[in-house]
């Protein structure tokens, strides 16, 4: 990989300068990239009434949510806490979709009290919801369409053994419960996985939704979920959004004619909106040669970026400090006492202690999955917006680690 291909600048701001100014490790996000991803979805689905519900869990910094709000779109939240963060960012209850999985009913009640629509993901939850609210509160149903989709088994959630949603095979039971409790069903939802490449998969999911939808006369929307794949390295395939948009929109418009009413089409992209906007900058603590491998040990690890270890995610990595150096093979590893290989057998411009390295595609499920494992502090977050790099989350300090510990007199 030549130096010219590596992302030194975001909106004219040098990534290395950001590391020097804000310290390492640091997450950096390009606000323009998020907005342009939203726009590409909007234009791919221009022939339908599209509503984007950004999957908050991918990256939940309030400033990122504010960018989504500013672009005129909504959010999907999977916990009451995410709902509260979204509201803090300025979203009204009506702009939030709540898609819980196996939560306590008290949490559902809290969401309803706030005025947020609930995506029901089990028959028992439907019954409890129906018994409590009858036809006074409209809801959505999460259907499991039994489609094997997504990059690998760990990120596939719509197959027959998945915990998510209500099996399409249980549709008669769903209809029965809706009838018994007179629940007003406003939407049907699917989300089958992540890193879905093929337009065909979205169409297959759509067909399941279209068929089921004929049983629910009061629908306002169909929600196709998220899961669009982005490129992780040059030449890597990504979901062709224009193709998905054209095919799914055409099928959707045809369905609406049959249904007799124009519905909204909802999407819940997480990764697609924020993955490529994000960069994790780390510093090389040590370059360690062993008989077989040269390791670069960095001031980060699976506590900050767990995706490589959790589901073998690939993150491109570059040496920001010595971009023109000779290319050499390295394993980039973290400082956690646990195997935490962030990048295996990669060619990097020659690394020396103190160099800043940058991991790409760090916007989605990076910071939001970070932890304090090994009693390490979480990094700072910086947003580049309108050509300026600004701090959007302070680096944690030692006090944050022990803030909630109750220290006994032992
Ligand atoms: C995680 C999630 C998404 C987003 O998935 P991506 O692969 O990041 O697009 C969308 N909808 C629901 C319900 C989710 O849980």
């Amino acid at each position: 990989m030549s130096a010219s291909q590596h992302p030194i600048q975001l909106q004219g701001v040098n990534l290395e300068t950001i590391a020097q100014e804000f310290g390492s490790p640091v997450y950096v996000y390009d606000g323009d990239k998020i907005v342009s991803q939203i726009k590409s979805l909007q234009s791919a689905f221009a022939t339908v009434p599209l509503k984007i519900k950004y999957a908050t869990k991918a990256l939940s910094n309030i400033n990122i949510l504010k960018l989504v709000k500013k672009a005129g779109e909504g959010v999907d939240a999977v916990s009451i806490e995410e709902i509260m963060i979204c509201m803090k960012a300025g979203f009204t209850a009506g702009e939030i979709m709540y898609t819980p999985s196996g939560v306590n009913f008290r949490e559902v009640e809290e969401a309803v009290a706030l005025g947020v629509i609930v995506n029901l993901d089990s028959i028992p939850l439907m019954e409890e919801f129906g018994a409590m609210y009858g036809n006074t509160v409209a809801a959505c149903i999460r259907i499991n369409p039994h489609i094997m989709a997504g990059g690998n088994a760990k990120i596939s959630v719509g197959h027959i053994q998945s915990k998510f949603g209500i099996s399409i095979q249980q549709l008669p039971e769903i209809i029965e419960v809706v009838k018994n409790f007179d629940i007003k069903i406003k939407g049907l939802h699917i989300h089958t996985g992540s890193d879905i490449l093929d337009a065909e998969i979205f169409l297959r999911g759509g067909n399941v939704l279209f068929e089921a939808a004929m049983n629910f006369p009061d629908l306002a929307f169909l929600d196709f979920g998220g899961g669009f794949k982005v490129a992780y390295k040059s030449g890597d395939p990504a979901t062709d959004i224009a193709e998905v948009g054209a095919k799914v929109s055409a099928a959707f418009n045809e369905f609406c004619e049959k249904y007799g009413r124009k519905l909204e089409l909802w999407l819940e992209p997480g990764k697609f909106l924020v993955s490529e906007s994000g960069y994790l900058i780390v510093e090389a603590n040590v370059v360690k040669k062993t008989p077989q491998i040269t390791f670069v040990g960095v001031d980060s690890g699976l506590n900050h970026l767990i995706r490589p270890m959790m589901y073998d995610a690939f993150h491109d990595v570059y040496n920001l400090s010595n971009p023109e150096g000779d290319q050499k093979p390295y394993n980039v590893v973290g400082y956690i006492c646990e195997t935490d290989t962030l990048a295996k057998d990669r060619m990097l411009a020659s690394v020396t202690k103190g160099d800043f390295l940058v991991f790409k595609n760090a916007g989605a499920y990076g910071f939001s999955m970070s932890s304090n494992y090994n009693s390490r502090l979480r990094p700072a977050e910086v947003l580049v917006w309108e050509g300026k790099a600004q701090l959007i989350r302070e680096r944690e300090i030692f006090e944050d680690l022990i803030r909630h510990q109750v220290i006994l007199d032992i």
Side-chain angles (χ1 to χ4, degrees):
M1 189 83 20
S2 75
S4 58
Q5 278 174 279
H6 98 235
I8 288 188
Q9 305 242 317
L10 301 185
Q11 299 172 39
V13 185
N14 193 316
L15 272 187
E16 198 184 10
T17 315
I18 292 176
Q20 282 156 355
E21 184 179 345
F22 296 94
S24 166
V26 60
Y27 271 101
V28 183
Y29 311 111
D30 179 357
D32 279 1
K33 180 65 184 173
I34 296 171
V35 173
S36 76
Q37 292 295 90
I38 292 175
K39 285 189 176 148
S40 79
L41 275 180
Q42 288 169 336
S43 74
F45 287 83
T47 65
V48 297
L50 174 72
K51 286 253 166 83
I52 295 173
K53 304 283 169 184
Y54 165 59
T56 307
K57 73 178 195 281
L59 172 61
S60 53
N61 188 290
I62 287 171
N63 301 279
I64 302 299
L65 298 172
K66 283 171 81 166
L67 288 183
V68 175
K69 166 93 184 152
K70 202 178 162 76
E73 299 295 352
V75 276
D76 181 78
V78 294
S79 66
I80 194 74
E81 290 84 353
E82 279 191 358
I83 291 174
M84 286 155 66
I85 290 175
C86 289
M87 288 186 145
K88 186 120 190 138
F91 288 100
T92 62
E95 293 167 321
I96 304 171
M97 165 76 141
Y98 174 45
T99 303
S101 171
V103 300
N104 192 294
F105 193 70
R106 284 193 301 274
E107 197 171 305
V108 172
E109 287 179 285
E110 276 181 69
V112 169
L114 289 169
V116 172
I117 185 166
V118 180
N119 199 357
L120 305 171
D121 93 320
S122 72
I123 300 271
L125 176 57
M126 285 186 68
E127 289 170 337
E128 207 164 356
F129 192 92
M132 183 80 179
Y133 302 110
N135 65 6
T136 64
V137 178
C140 178
I141 298 174
R142 178 170 188 171
I143 302 279
N144 183 330
H146 301 323
I147 291 174
M148 196 58 176
N152 65 53
K154 284 187 191 167
I155 54 176
S156 185
V157 296
H159 54 86
I160 195 154
Q161 293 184 326
S162 167
K163 72 166 183 173
F164 294 101
I166 309 176
S167 167
I168 188 64
Q169 290 169 15
Q170 290 169 296
L171 185 60
E173 226 176 312
I174 296 173
I175 294 168
E176 176 90 8
V177 175
V178 168
K179 210 168 78 198
N180 287 349
F181 294 96
D182 193 20
I183 309 173
K184 193 166 159 21
I185 299 302
K186 218 172 104 175
L188 295 183
H189 166 279
I190 52 167
H191 172 67
T192 56
S194 205
D195 283 0
I196 305 171
L197 199 54
D198 258 355
E200 294 310 313
I201 297 284
F202 290 98
L203 273 181
R204 270 171 58 201
N207 286 334
V208 172
L209 279 182
F210 301 152
E211 219 180 296
M214 299 313 284
N215 298 288
F216 303 92
D218 302 321
L219 293 177
F221 65 88
L222 294 182
D223 186 334
F224 283 70
F228 306 114
K229 188 187 178 318
V230 298
Y232 291 113
K233 52 189 160 197
S234 72
D236 202 16
T239 311
D240 183 340
I241 289 299
E243 186 197 354
V244 171
K247 287 188 172 166
V248 170
S249 299
F252 183 78
N253 284 330
E254 200 176 302
F255 156 76
C256 287
E257 293 231 330
K258 202 167 124 208
Y259 188 76
R261 220 149 33 77
K262 195 95 197 155
L263 303 185
E264 288 176 355
L265 189 158
W266 290 16
L267 296 174
E268 299 170 348
K271 194 176 284 176
F272 183 77
L273 293 201
V274 298
S275 174
E276 293 157 291
S277 82
Y279 301 81
L280 173 62
I281 305 176
V282 301
E283 186 178 332
N285 284 337
V286 63
V287 179
K288 174 172 159 180
K289 285 196 165 91
T290 71
Q292 294 196 352
I293 293 169
T294 305
F295 292 95
V296 180
V298 300
D299 61 349
S300 186
L302 60 72
N303 52 326
H304 298 157
L305 185 65
I306 201 171
R307 300 184 72 249
M309 301 317 294
M310 188 154 158
Y311 29 60
D312 296 326
F314 181 95
H315 289 268
D316 237 340
V317 58
Y318 296 90
N319 186 347
L320 282 177
S321 304
N322 181 29
E324 311 291 346
D326 293 343
Q327 297 284 313
K328 295 177 186 166
Y330 296 98
N331 280 13
V332 183
V333 296
Y335 58 9
I336 292 296
C337 288
E338 203 79 63
T339 297
D340 60 346
T341 308
L342 297 170
K344 193 175 171 200
D345 199 17
R346 302 288 181 82
M347 296 304 286
L348 278 175
S350 177
V351 181
T352 36
K353 179 180 170 203
D355 282 356
F356 289 122
L357 308 187
V358 63
F359 289 95
K360 288 179 68 181
N361 285 91
Y365 310 106
F367 190 95
S368 69
M369 281 193 176
S370 66
S371 75
N372 288 121
Y373 188 42
N374 279 204
S375 296
R376 292 292 186 182
L377 307 176
R378 284 191 183 81
E381 291 180 292
V382 167
L383 174 65
V384 183
W385 181 242
E386 294 178 333
K388 242 174 51 201
Q390 295 180 81
L391 191 67
I392 57 170
R393 185 191 300 266
E394 290 174 12
R395 182 178 306 288
E396 283 182 344
I397 56 173
F398 176 70
E399 188 55 37
D400 295 320
L401 278 184
I402 55 164
R403 186 179 302 281
H404 298 294
Q405 292 200 34
V406 179
I407 300 169
L408 303 178
D409 189 15
I410 293 171

